[in-house]
Amino acid sequence: MGIQSFFWVVFLIIFIYLIFRRINIKEREDFEDRDN
């Protein structure tokens, strides 16, 4: 039970990290488009 919940926590952390990373990449692309 403890190991299973540990994997769920790790999965959630990775999932949230990927979402934040995608948002940051999207903001950078919009910023570059404005410069051009």
Side-chain angles (χ1 to χ4, degrees):
M1 190 84 175
I3 293 170
Q4 194 174 11
S5 58
F6 171 76
F7 277 117
W8 274 111
V9 170
V10 171
F11 175 76
L12 284 172
I13 290 169
I14 292 169
F15 188 71
I16 293 167
Y17 168 75
L18 289 175
I19 291 173
F20 271 86
R21 192 171 153 209
R22 178 154 297 186
I23 291 170
N24 287 336
I25 290 169
K26 201 170 189 184
E27 287 178 355
R28 281 189 209 144
E29 287 178 355
D30 292 342
F31 187 72
E32 289 175 1
D33 288 343
R34 275 188 236 141
D35 288 346
N36 293 336

